[in-house]
Amino acid sequence: MKADMKYDWRELRRFCSAVLEAAGVRSQWAAAVADTLVDADLHGVDSHGVVRLDIYMRRLEAGMVDADAAPELLRGQTPLLLVDGNNNFGAVAGGFALEQSMKAAREYGCGIAGVRRSNHFGTCAYYARKAVGEGLIAIVLSNASQTMPPTGGLRPFLGTNPLCVGVPAGRHAPYILDMATSVVARGKIIVAAERGEPIPTGWAIDREGRPTTDAQAALAGSVLPLGGPKGYAIAMFIDILCGVLTGAGFGPSVHNMYEDWVRPQNVGHLFIAIDAERFMPRAEFAARMDQYIDWLKAEPTAPGVDEILVPGELERRICEQRSRQGLILPASVADTLRRWGDRYGIDLAHAETG
């Protein structure tokens, strides 16, 4: 069995970008896609990291992604914007829409950009952190292909549609909430199935709608919404705002990037950027956020708990550690990356650190 390898994250990002560019993706767009992938690994969200380069490349080569088509602003010049991703990579469409929403927020105090005809765009937190870095509050939503039933339903109808909120602070790190609307990421069930391990009760149902601890049966069935009907309702409103409202796919018309090789995904996103300075001076808002976090962290902790964490704090610590120590990739992931590199004459070994 091959050992896992450690990689310098900057070199790994350059590798992914070079592979995409060699396959015909414009350099700035290849860099944007690579950045979202490595950023996910840096923050501990390995399910959305460089492991996804393989499916991105396969869809690119199969013509399921149009890496020549620039996203375009269909309606703008106001705080409300509509972007057509033109079936380019989600990171390209998402990055363009985020910039448009932030530009509107600076001019009007708030900017809302909806996106149609996009693809998987990485983690929502990636975009929220960019907005927060510009001193803006961000809300980022996306729909996804079917993996979850409505409460009381038998088969998948909704995606695990994520919800993200980012809020800047002052001396404290920003608040970054990024959550799926399912009990658990489907990737964890896939890992359990590969290992032949059971899953906890409450994660999923089988094809007949019965609760199951069998990971294989769960994959054939559905992952369950977070909090039962509450998670279902939240996933539905995200689908409405990202899909129904924008003109993107919704429900069964958001196509699965792993299974559908005939139709583009047609994912929808929504970006909301808010300039807090329209409510009060930015320094005052930052001080109020710091006070809030100070109060929160001063709360007494339950037995066995060392400290109270703010959403996003754990991921930030992981990022700091992995940035220093490097990214460890499973041998299977590294082998897949290496094959893509060999295909286009890009050497993954340059990213290895030992």
Side-chain angles (χ1 to χ4, degrees):
M1 180 179 292
K2 292 184 179 179
D4 296 343
M5 291 293 296
K6 185 182 290 185
Y7 295 87
D8 177 89
W9 67 270
R10 298 173 189 84
E11 292 299 326
L12 191 59
R13 186 175 61 185
R14 274 192 278 269
F15 168 84
C16 293
S17 181
V19 169
L20 286 158
E21 190 171 353
V25 181
R26 296 185 197 179
S27 59
Q28 69 270 29
W29 293 347
V33 175
D35 196 41
T36 63
L37 296 175
V38 173
D39 180 84
D41 280 315
L42 280 172
H43 287 86
V45 192
D46 300 343
S47 61
H48 287 57
V50 297
V51 67
R52 300 245 176 175
L53 181 67
D54 180 58
I55 188 63
Y56 284 11
M57 290 296 296
R58 286 195 286 135
R59 289 192 72 80
L60 175 65
E61 290 193 344
M64 292 290 97
V65 173
D66 187 350
D68 292 324
E72 61 180 317
L73 192 59
L74 298 180
R75 296 171 188 166
Q77 310 307 318
T78 71
L80 299 176
L81 310 160
L82 179 61
V83 171
D84 190 330
N86 282 326
N87 196 37
N88 205 318
F89 285 106
V92 176
F96 177 80
L98 175 68
E99 289 296 330
Q100 296 299 319
S101 69
M102 292 195 299
K103 180 180 178 182
R106 295 185 191 102
E107 183 172 356
Y108 300 103
C110 180
I112 303 176
V115 186
R116 63 172 64 161
R117 296 212 301 152
S118 184
N119 288 282
H120 184 272
F121 75 166
T123 67
C124 291
Y126 173 82
Y127 304 94
R129 283 192 293 268
K130 283 186 172 294
V132 164
E134 297 289 327
L136 300 170
I137 297 169
I139 301 172
V140 183
L141 311 173
S142 182
N143 64 9
S145 57
Q146 300 166 280
T147 50
M148 251 180 12
T151 297
L154 183 64
R155 63 183 184 181
F157 181 87
L158 297 157
T160 57
N161 304 335
L163 162 66
C164 180
V165 180
V167 184
R171 53 189 164 77
H172 282 294
Y175 169 99
I176 304 286
L177 166 71
D178 189 0
M179 54 171 275
T181 47
S182 56
V183 172
V184 67
R186 194 168 184 269
K188 291 187 177 182
I189 300 177
I190 293 173
V191 170
E194 290 174 346
R195 294 175 177 172
E197 298 173 350
I199 60 172
T201 301
W203 276 18
I205 56 175
D206 65 18
R207 188 174 285 145
E208 284 72 43
R210 299 171 301 199
T212 184
T213 59
D214 184 316
Q216 292 289 357
L219 292 176
S222 306
V223 64
L224 290 171
L226 175 70
K230 293 181 180 179
Y232 150 55
I234 295 171
M236 185 176 175
F237 94 66
I238 293 172
D239 212 9
I240 292 168
L241 293 181
C242 294
V244 178
L245 179 63
T246 65
F250 53 89
S253 61
V254 182
H255 303 127
N256 191 299
M257 70 174 172
Y258 289 98
E259 298 173 2
D260 194 324
W261 295 92
V262 176
R263 299 167 296 185
Q265 276 198 279
N266 197 15
V267 174
H269 320 301
L270 193 75
F271 297 86
I272 303 173
I274 302 169
D275 187 355
E277 201 155 24
R278 300 303 178 103
F279 293 81
M280 65 185 69
R282 186 169 296 177
E284 181 182 349
F285 177 76
R288 287 172 64 83
M289 279 295 297
D290 285 341
Q291 180 68 79
Y292 184 25
I293 295 171
D294 285 340
W295 284 346
L296 184 76
K297 286 188 165 289
E299 283 293 292
T301 58
V305 177
D306 294 329
E307 65 173 318
I308 294 172
L309 297 176
V310 174
E313 191 169 9
L314 179 60
E315 291 80 2
R316 180 177 59 83
R317 292 179 184 180
I318 292 172
C319 182
E320 291 171 353
Q321 180 185 42
R322 291 186 173 186
S323 295
R324 293 192 308 269
Q325 299 179 1
L327 294 175
I328 297 176
L329 299 182
S332 60
V333 174
D335 284 346
T336 301
L337 294 181
R338 194 173 292 110
R339 284 195 296 272
W340 282 112
D342 291 346
R343 183 182 181 93
Y344 288 101
I346 313 296
D347 190 359
L348 179 63
H350 291 314
E352 295 177 1
T353 62

